[in-house]
Structure formats: structure tokens, C-alpha cells
Amino acid sequence: MGKVTGFMEFERVEEGYKPVPERVKHYKEFVIGLDDAQAKVQGARCMDCGTPFCNSGCPVNNIIPDFNDLVYRQDWANAFAVLDSTNNFPEFTGRICPAPCEAACTLNVNDDAVGIKSLEHAIIDRAWELGLVKPRPSKIRTGKKVAVVGSGPAGMAAAQQLARAGHDVTLFEKNDRVGGLLRYGIPDFKMEKSHIDRRVDQMKAEGVVFRTGVMVGELPKDSRVTNWAKETVTPAQLQQDFDAVLLTGGAEQSRDLPVPGRDLDGIHFAMEFLPQQNKVNAGDKVKGQLRADGKHVIVIGGGDTGSDCVGTSNRHGAASVVQFELMPQPPDEENRPLTWPYWPYKLRTSSSHEEGCEREFAIATKEFLGEKGKVTGLKTVRVEWKDGKMSEMANSEQVLKADLVLLAMGFVSPVASILEGFGIDKDARGNARATTDFTGGYATNVPKVFAAGDMRRGQSLVVWAIREGRQAARSVDEFLMGFSDLPR
């Protein structure tokens, strides 16, 4: 496991960032990855801990100690082979995954965890540079046709696995480019879209057919879900034309904030704001683009999507950016003996926060204020939490100026009309009802229709989407062929 005494000799090596004044002038990635020497030191810190909790902490069950050791030995080819065996797209997870594997690292009990995410990032970047990432088309053809609906990480992972099993796979995407929320939800400064494009080229060489601009079913007329479809296909058509259908769309219904003044102009969901900038970055023209130039911006929601709105607003040249979080401010450090190896509760400061942002915790919006139909401010109140219940603090109301309000409070469910079009049963949260059992996993109540990713589990992480896509692919393969050699 790397160097036996490495964890006692070496400190954690962090990836670097380009300076704030430089990076806020563009939308390109600004993380400075580890060089070979730094990666070797990071790999050396992996302990011979006996039970590597990092493996189970990682949703795709990356074989982390093995590739850590191989990086320490500078064997990049075999490090990539190990990483590639469990994760179809390490360049995605190595950039935007929050790294639950590091929270589970045994060294994290009383020291800084091994920088697993930075090593994953280093391995896949070296693999591309060395030409190790190549198409792997199947040598056999099964003659079975599979439709995958939704080209986010779950859909891409499933489509690639099914194509490698020899099936004829068609991947449907309602928007004009492949990638789902990776394409239009993640800002380019966190992950440039060339990474998606390279994988699309690989998958095409493996036999996957991509059909973009195709909406399966219909969106409600009042839906604010991003949709640039030019063509519609009915669920019945897919069920007729394909031997199996796998639904891997995202949980795209944004959580709303129904308080007085919500209908004022200038109040938008994050997923109205972020996709437009990504389209502009791709060279498209967006009429009436939502922009934060010179505006006082308030972002409601303290998670990653809210952070993405902060970073984008700063790049637009916002006059000020304030981010709201309903919950109280977490501690700077978690109680490690109490929480390890689970995801810790602690204050997280993103690179976007460091670029300029005021953060308000334990604050709730009571009303949106406006003049002539446009938002001008928010009436807020401080809240306190006791025994899991929230109450407003007396005499704590205040009014904050706002020209643009972005709602980034998470997502509640997939688009209901899509599931209804197929006649799929939903769970209590509005997701497609499907189990993850070893036999018949990811199958819905509708014959030959499966569901995975956010469509099944609700809003989640990119690494969970890849896991579910891979597992669902195995279930579909087993359904079509009676057995499957694909890994779970």
C-alpha cells in the first residue's frame, strides 16, 4: 500500500488553484493537478489499514488502495486499468465528486485523508495523455436493441456498458448536446465540456447511437425544465421499437419557494440561469440571457448548485453576491470519532465562495419585495433550530437589496409526465419505483422498462449516477440474455 511508513512521513498534498483575479475573467478550468512527484507522495500516504473503508465509501467501489500503490510506483498504465475497471468516467468524478471515499479513509480518523480524488484526477489525465483510453467495441452482436433515455452520467455509463455487451444502443437526449446536467448544470470552470465530447467520440466508436434534440414523452406546458428538443417520440414508440428501455433522466423539478412576491421578474431557478451560460460558452447565442452584471445577487440554497450560481455571478461581474442557507452554520471541523467513516457535517468552502461571496446561515425568506413588477429586495428573518424543529427569532426581520434572486434549493423529483407517459409507478417522493435487487434490479412495473440514476433515487451525486447506470446495464443485459458478464 504505497510506502509502509508514508502516512507518518508525508503531509497531504492539495491540488492548486490559479489566482482568483485571473480565473474569474474566464470560464475555463483553473485547478492545477498534481505533478508526478506530488502524486507519488500522495500515493505513498495510503496505509496498509487492513480494511479499506474507502472502497465501500465510494459508490462505484473504486479499488482505491491498489491504484494508490500503483501511482506511488508511477505505473500509470496499470493504475488506469484498475480505475477503469470500476468507473467509466473518472474525469467526471475526479473533478466534481465531493469524494465520500476521503471521508471514509482510515487515515481521516485522526489526520488528513489521502487525497484520493486528486489521484483519480491525475490517473485519468495521464491515461488520456498516454493514449490509454481507447474504444472497446464488442466482438459479438446480440441483435438486441436498447433505448436509453437521458444522456447524463447514468445514461452514458449504462449505454457504454450495454454497447460493450454487444447490444445495439440508442441514447436519447432532449437537449441539443449530450451530457445532461453535466453539460448544462455544471459550470465549465468546474468541468470543461471537452471531457464529455471525448467520451461521446469513444462511445460512438463502440457502437452507441446518439439522438439529441429528441423529447421522449411531453413536458407540462408550465414546466421550467430546460428543453431544446426539436422532435418528440412517444413512450409507446420506444416500447414497440426496442427490446428494452432504460430511463436515466435527471431529477429536474426544482424545489420552489412559494412566498409572497414569487411572481416578480428577476426571480429564477438556478437551472434557468446556469444552462444559458454554458450554451454561450459553447458558442451559441442566447436571446435575453439571464445575467448578473452589476446586480445585487442573492442565491437561496447553500449546496453545490448555489455555489455554482455564485461562481457564475462573479464571472458576470455582479455588484455583490450573498448566499442563503436555512440551516445553522456547521462547525469548521467535524467530530471525527463520532462520524467516521460516514459523510461528515462540517463547514465547506468552495472555490466559488473564495472568489467573493457573503454567506448567511440560519436565515429564511419571508417575502420578495419589488417595484413595477421587478424584484428589488427580500424580507428575511433569522431562525433557530431545536430538537429538529425550526422557529423564527423575534425581532430579527430585515430587508436585503436584490436585483437578481436565484433559487438553488435542490430538486424534488423527475418530470412527472415522463413517468406517467410510460405508466410507471412512483415512490413517495415522485421517483420511478424500482428496486436494486440482484435479480430483476432497476426494473419498473412496466414490462421491459427500467429506471436508474436520479430518475430512480432522486437528486444525488455524479458517482451514484455512474454506479446506478452500470448496475442497471447489468440488469438489462441479464433480462435480454438470461445472464450477464457485466460487473455490478
Side-chain angles (χ1 to χ4, degrees), residues 32 76 100 123 138 147 169 173 246 252 312 377 443 465:
I32 303 170
W76 294 105
I123 292 168
S138 176
V169 182
E173 169 57 51
L246 174 58
E252 297 183 272
T312 302

Side-chain angles (χ1 to χ4, degrees), residues 253-435:
Q253 293 285 11
S254 299
R255 182 173 282 106
D256 208 344
L257 185 58
V259 299
R262 171 63 180 89
D263 58 345
L264 290 167
D265 187 26
I267 304 170
H268 301 274
F269 288 119
M271 289 307 298
E272 296 176 80
F273 177 70
L274 296 172
Q276 292 187 359
Q277 185 58 56
N278 285 8
K279 283 187 70 68
V280 170
N281 294 344
D284 296 348
K285 292 183 179 179
V286 176
K287 186 177 180 180
Q289 181 191 358
L290 296 175
R291 292 194 57 90
D293 312 64
K295 295 179 180 178
H296 297 281
V297 180
I298 291 182
V299 179
I300 301 179
D304 289 339
T305 303
S307 172
D308 295 342
C309 290
V310 170
T312 302
S313 296
N314 281 326
R315 282 161 178 75
H316 282 182
S320 66
V321 183
V322 181
Q323 185 177 21
F324 283 6
E325 170 55 63
L326 187 64
M327 301 300 291
Q329 182 170 335
D332 290 337
E333 288 292 333
E334 74 273 30
N335 185 335
R336 295 188 180 187
L338 181 64
T339 60
W340 177 87
Y342 301 108
W343 188 245
Y345 177 66
K346 67 176 183 179
L347 181 65
R348 302 175 193 280
T349 301
S350 73
S351 57
S352 291
H353 294 142
E354 293 170 352
E355 292 165 1
C357 172
E358 183 180 344
R359 303 171 73 181
E360 296 282 356
F361 293 89
I363 188 170
T365 301
K366 296 282 288 182
E367 181 182 358
F368 295 112
L369 307 175
E371 295 178 4
K372 298 180 180 178
K374 291 190 175 185
V375 67
T376 58
L378 281 75
K379 182 182 291 185
T380 67
V381 64
R382 295 290 171 176
V383 299
E384 58 183 353
W385 294 81
K386 187 174 182 180
D387 298 327
K389 296 182 179 180
M390 183 187 77
S391 60
E392 297 181 2
M393 298 177 64
N395 303 316
S396 65
E397 289 191 358
Q398 61 182 129
V399 173
L400 298 180
K401 181 177 177 60
D403 306 306
L404 176 64
V405 178
L406 299 172
L407 306 180
M409 301 175 295
F411 305 89
V412 294
S413 66
V415 178
S417 60
I418 307 302
L419 299 179
E420 291 164 359
F422 281 93
I424 293 173
D425 290 343
K426 293 180 282 187
D427 64 16
R429 297 185 298 157
N431 304 317
R433 187 186 298 278
T435 70

Side-chain angles (χ1 to χ4, degrees), residues 216-230:
V216 175
E218 295 183 357
L219 286 176
K221 291 182 180 180
D222 60 348
S223 174
R224 300 197 192 193
V225 172
T226 302
N227 177 21
W228 291 293
K230 297 180 180 179

